[in-house]
Amino acid sequence: MSTATAPEPVVTGEDRLNLRGQTLPRWTPLAVAAGSVVLALLIYFVTPVDSEIQIVLMAAILFLIAMSAASTVVEGARRARDRFATTLVYTAFLLALIPLVAVLVSVISKGAKRLDLDFFTHSMNNIGARDAGGGIYHAIIGTVEQVVIASAIAVPFGLLVAIYLVEYGQGRISRVISFFVDVLTGLPSIIAGLFVLSFWVLALGFGFSGFAGALALVVLMIPTVVRSSEEMLKLVPNELREAGYALGVAKWRTILKVVVPTALPGIVTGVMLAVARVSGETAPVLLTVFGTNLINSNPFSGEQSSLPLYIYSQAGQPQQFAIDRAWAAALVLIIIIMLLNLIARLFAGRNRLK
Amino acid sequence: MATRIDVNGLTAYYGKFKAVADVNLTIEPKNVTAFIGPSGCGKSTVLRTLNRMHEVLPNARVEGEVLLDGEDLYGPGMDPVNVRRTVGMVFQRPNPFPTMSIRENVIAGLKLNGVRNKALLDERVEESLRGANLWEEVKDRLNRPGAGLSGGQQQRLCIARAIAVEPQVLLMDEPCSALDPISTLAIEDLITKLKSSFTIVIVTHNMQQASRVSDSTAFFSLEKTGDPGRLVEFDKTSKIFSNPTEKRTEDYVSGRFG
Ligand SMILES: Nc1ncnc2c1ncn2[C@@H]1O[C@H](COP(=O)(O)OP(=O)(O)OP(=O)(O)O)[C@@H](O)[C@H]1O
Ligand SMILES: [Mg+2]
């Protein structure tokens, strides 16, 4: 707190520089929002409007109008436009959150019921749809093995392709590769499953296995990994490459030790998106892994289960026990993907200096 | 030991565009040679041909020879990677490796080339940072990121990084253009000090800087845009700035050009 009085402006009246502006108090948006909601509720009670969604919509529109009007009057047109745009952006943000929150709430509320130790330690051996109990042990093993194998193949391969495209490729070959990566990006996942089914499982006769599923997932992961890594590598400034070369470091080593580490956090994010995407794939896994109720921890021979397959088969049953199991498995799948994300971020963060 | 460079009939291209033509000059060992001239006349291009950094750009190529103690850098069997270990480079904008700490930045050239001996690396960190007049400022935070230093400190870090691999020649492309006058003076002092162990070539737009730090000066110019740049005059710095042979040089160094 200061008791000193501000010096009198040297120039007063019309000639004064107009640097300040009238601003609405900081609580205005909140107050206007509250007013809009109250007004919308009033309208709801006195008129025959009868949907909750309409209240929300009405409140939003009232808020927009009132806020813009107040801002135009007090702050002028430019600020009012700014507020208008800000409101739209926040509204879009809230709208985008709705499905996310809705999914999380429903999966958690419905899935938490069966989330006991039994659920994690048991398979579906000898458990029919009508029976209580049963678990996802076999499905977790399957999902983890399939996704780990798929990532172990697709991530190094995709990263190498991206490095080739960004650091080495210039001519025809890189354009052709780029084109095929684009084609792969648009490939429906069931086609990847069909391809592995006809080629690996049937024609070559290897039969259903977790590994066959992993192969299908590889086909789906590669384009995502290539594209996202490519974008991240392109963002690395050329100056860093030149700095490496100028120290007498060979090109491949500069790429490995300077370029890739610089791009790593972004690459990890891209890889995680790819992993998250394939962890939830159902159709290609159905065609190549087939699914089973039993524990099979060998990914290289025999049918396995996986969480999406488990959810698919349980959710297809009319009995409440099966449906509860499906919800719980869905919750576990979400948790696993979030954990993977977290681990990857910690790992990437370790490489970033504080 | 430091190295003498002879440039003979050097012409550099970017694709079809001939950027500089027919440069001949001799850079004496343990001397500072300055390249001056208007923007776009090819100073950076010539500098980058001296350690084969020119060819890093797609379609860029070089004709003529650059002799390093008599051996042609562009001769058959020469490995650009080894050339660059002998002829180091500092860029216009400081470019420390963002993922590395100060310490790791300094020894990046050694580590990436497989040196593992910790005692040697530690010794080289201190030696190079002292060499770059940066040791006192950073000795307590060697493990902090290199990108967290001020611009002038970052540039000295880059110089430390370049001298840590013990090159014979140090090329500097406008090393002070992003720096304040005090950092600039620090780097000029540093150049004078480094001169006892390295052959130094520096590109600068600052006439005072050229006359302060260099022993010889090469003035490049170009007739008109689209033409290749050429070496107009190359002589002792004192001669270039007091009594140049060419009219164009005189106009340029005295600020009358056009
Ligand atoms: N990567 C490039 N591709 C094509 N042309 C280039 C490239 N770099 C430079 N040039 C051209 O080569 C010529 C010489 O450029 P150079 O960078 O050597 O000039 P300079 O003397 O260093 O100029 P400045 O003082 O502005 O740094 C210019 O005409 C420039 O446009
Ligand atoms: Mg330049």
Side-chain angles (χ1 to χ4, degrees), chain A residues 5-13 15-17 20:
Chain A
T5 47
E8 283 294 310
V10 186
V11 189
T12 46
D15 288 343
R16 242 182 94 187
L17 283 179
R20 289 156 211 274

Side-chain angles (χ1 to χ4, degrees), chain A residues 170 238-251 253-254 257-258 261-263 351-354, chain B residues 48 53 56-58 81 84-85 88-89 91 93 95-101 109 112-113 145 161-162 165:
Chain A
Q170 277 152 14
N238 233 343
E239 292 154 22
L240 294 183
R241 297 185 178 88
E242 296 208 330
Y245 304 154
L247 289 172
V249 180
K251 182 169 179 175
R253 227 182 235 276
T254 305
K257 299 284 187 171
V258 175
T262 306
N351 272 288
R352 261 255 177 276
L353 293 155
K354 273 125 254 143
Chain B
R48 289 166 61 94
M53 283 295 284
V56 168
L57 300 168
V81 173
R84 291 177 205 136
R85 255 173 239 174
M89 185 158 197
F91 297 83
R93 286 209 312 185
N95 53 2
F97 297 127
T99 54
M100 298 185 191
S101 67
L112 296 189
N113 282 319
R161 179 175 72 185
V165 294

Side-chain angles (χ1 to χ4, degrees), chain A residues 50-73:
Chain A
D50 55 7
S51 139
E52 287 80 4
I53 293 181
Q54 278 170 342
I55 314 180
V56 175
L57 251 179
M58 208 131 57
I61 292 172
L62 283 174
F63 177 80
L64 211 57
I65 295 172
M67 208 50 219
S68 300
S71 183
T72 313
V73 171

Side-chain angles (χ1 to χ4, degrees), chain A:
Chain A
M1 261 200 255
S2 145
T3 46
T5 47
E8 283 294 310
V10 186
V11 189
T12 46
E14 293 289 291
D15 288 343
R16 242 182 94 187
L17 283 179
N18 188 13
L19 299 181
R20 289 156 211 274
Q22 290 291 323
T23 324
L24 286 169
R26 297 193 51 184
W27 46 262
T28 319
L30 268 182
V32 175
S36 314
V37 170
V38 169
L39 200 59
L41 282 174
L42 272 181
I43 298 175
Y44 173 66
F45 284 124
V46 297
T47 60
V49 175
D50 55 7
S51 139
E52 287 80 4
I53 293 181
Q54 278 170 342
I55 314 180
V56 175
L57 251 179
M58 208 131 57
I61 292 172
L62 283 174
F63 177 80
L64 211 57
I65 295 172
M67 208 50 219
S68 300
S71 183
T72 313
V73 171
V74 180
E75 302 179 321
R78 177 175 55 82
R79 295 259 207 143
R81 276 200 297 276
D82 179 44
R83 290 218 186 251
F84 184 75
T86 312
T87 310
L88 286 186
V89 169
Y90 275 109
T91 312
F93 169 69
L94 288 177
L95 282 179
L97 272 185
I98 290 174
L100 182 69
V101 172
V103 166
L104 274 182
V105 167
S106 66
V107 172
I108 291 175
S109 65
K110 291 183 172 144
K113 204 177 342 173
R114 268 307 320 268
L115 224 53
D116 45 36
L117 195 62
D118 255 15
F119 193 62
F120 288 98
T121 52
H122 286 72
S123 71
M124 290 299 286
N125 195 1
N126 265 332
I127 308 257
R130 252 175 268 248
D131 302 331
I136 52 168
Y137 182 63
H138 61 311
I140 292 184
I141 290 183
T143 287
V144 169
E145 285 180 353
Q146 289 150 28
V147 170
V148 165
I149 294 174
S151 310
I153 300 172
V155 172
F157 186 76
L159 191 55
L160 286 178
V161 172
I163 289 176
Y164 173 79
L165 288 177
V166 176
E167 308 289 338
Y168 292 94
Q170 277 152 14
R172 203 48 168 283
I173 307 177
S174 85
R175 272 203 300 279
V176 171
I177 295 178
S178 224
F179 173 74
F180 278 113
V181 170
D182 277 340
V183 172
L184 268 185
T185 311
L187 191 78
S189 60
I190 195 160
I191 307 287
L194 276 175
F195 165 69
V196 174
L197 173 69
S198 63
F199 186 67
W200 179 266
V201 177
L202 300 178
L204 293 180
F206 284 104
F208 296 112
S209 70
F211 185 72
L215 285 184
L217 299 184
V218 164
V219 177
L220 296 172
M221 272 182 94
I222 282 177
T224 329
V225 173
V226 172
R227 275 288 168 254
S228 58
S229 311
E230 206 186 339
E231 291 311 317
M232 290 304 135
L233 290 173
K234 276 186 195 157
L235 285 181
V236 176
N238 233 343
E239 292 154 22
L240 294 183
R241 297 185 178 88
E242 296 208 330
Y245 304 154
L247 289 172
V249 180
K251 182 169 179 175
W252 66 271
R253 227 182 235 276
T254 305
I255 292 168
L256 203 66
K257 299 284 187 171
V258 175
V259 179
V260 172
T262 306
L264 197 64
I267 292 177
V268 169
T269 306
V271 166
M272 284 326 300
L273 283 177
V275 169
R277 181 190 161 194
V278 300
S279 306
E281 281 296 346
T282 317
V285 178
L286 184 65
L287 294 178
T288 51
V289 182
F290 199 74
T292 169
N293 282 339
L294 310 178
I295 297 170
N296 173 10
S297 47
N298 179 1
F300 296 102
S301 102
E303 297 91 49
Q304 271 193 319
S305 187
S306 86
L307 283 170
L309 277 189
Y310 182 94
I311 297 168
Y312 172 71
S313 66
Q314 296 297 319
Q317 318 273 358
Q319 286 80 6
Q320 192 54 43
F321 289 130
I323 290 173
D324 286 347
R325 283 192 287 263
W327 279 112
L331 181 54
V332 172
L333 182 58
I334 292 179
I335 292 173
I336 288 180
I337 292 174
M338 293 216 297
L339 278 182
L340 279 178
N341 239 310
L342 209 69
I343 294 168
R345 265 171 213 288
L346 287 180
F347 171 76
R350 240 190 24 196
N351 272 288
R352 261 255 177 276
L353 293 155
K354 273 125 254 143

